[in-house]
Amino acid sequence: MKKNTFYILIGCIALALLALFIYSIETRLIPLWIEPVAFVTGILIVYTARKSVTDLIEDERSAKITENAVVRTFQVFWVVFCAFSIGAVMDLLYLPQFSRERFLGRPPGILTIRMMGYFQLGLLCLMIFLYVGFRMYYARKYGDWETDEE
């Protein structure tokens, strides 16, 4: 298994754990002990898959690719995450501009607090896929996939 495939597997496991978490909270049918069991199972799957990764050679080029991918991932992710969080907080703190007689309650917002939390958890899981995308871009840019045979 290649490194990028391994990272995509980690992202899929994180999304599956997130879906299980949301499902267990929304339906209240799954007992609370299922979450830790699913988390430990996910960790064991990642540990087992890590042993089958074949291209673990660390040289200066792969360190440069990893460094650039991490920096770009954080730069893009934090801009998106902060923009979403600021927008969600502004929606939660919305104050209507009309008189109190016509207004009996808070108008429905775009996101509830629960949905905002779910969306932020989803963004955290999708950050893994963003990292894989940047890793593939920089690997292609710096020639990590080229063969060095002469």
Side-chain angles (χ1 to χ4, degrees):
M1 173 185 315
K2 300 281 186 186
K3 275 188 211 177
N4 292 337
T5 308
F6 174 68
Y7 292 134
I8 290 173
L9 175 68
I10 290 174
C12 291
I13 290 171
L15 286 175
L17 287 174
L18 177 65
L20 182 67
F21 176 71
I22 292 172
Y23 179 76
S24 68
I25 288 178
E26 291 296 324
T27 61
R28 294 182 178 89
L29 295 176
I30 299 178
L32 291 177
W33 58 269
I34 291 292
E35 285 299 319
V37 170
F39 183 75
V40 169
T41 304
I43 294 296
L44 290 175
I45 291 170
V46 168
Y47 179 74
T48 305
R50 175 86 163 110
K51 290 181 178 179
S52 67
V53 176
T54 56
D55 57 345
L56 286 178
I57 300 170
E58 289 295 325
D59 57 355
E60 292 84 15
R61 180 171 46 188
S62 68
K64 177 94 171 147
I65 290 168
T66 301
E67 176 185 330
N68 285 345
V70 167
V71 168
R72 293 295 178 243
T73 299
F74 280 126
Q75 286 175 343
V76 170
F77 175 75
W78 286 115
V79 168
V80 172
F81 190 76
C82 288
F84 168 76
S85 297
I86 290 169
V89 168
M90 293 302 293
D91 181 54
L92 291 173
L93 298 176
Y94 171 73
L95 297 174
Q97 299 297 324
F98 43 86
S99 68
R100 194 164 183 98
E101 296 86 34
R102 293 176 42 201
F103 180 67
L104 300 174
R106 184 179 188 278
I110 297 172
L111 287 173
T112 62
I113 293 175
R114 176 180 281 182
M115 288 306 295
M116 184 176 74
Y118 291 159
F119 194 76
Q120 287 177 339
L121 285 173
L123 282 175
L124 286 172
C125 290
L126 291 175
M127 187 173 85
I128 297 168
F129 294 106
L130 183 64
Y131 171 74
V132 171
F134 277 122
R135 186 164 175 71
M136 291 169 64
Y137 169 76
Y138 283 112
R140 190 169 292 131
K141 181 178 177 180
Y142 292 120
D144 190 40
W145 291 332
E146 298 173 354
T147 58
D148 290 335
E149 296 180 24
E150 296 179 11

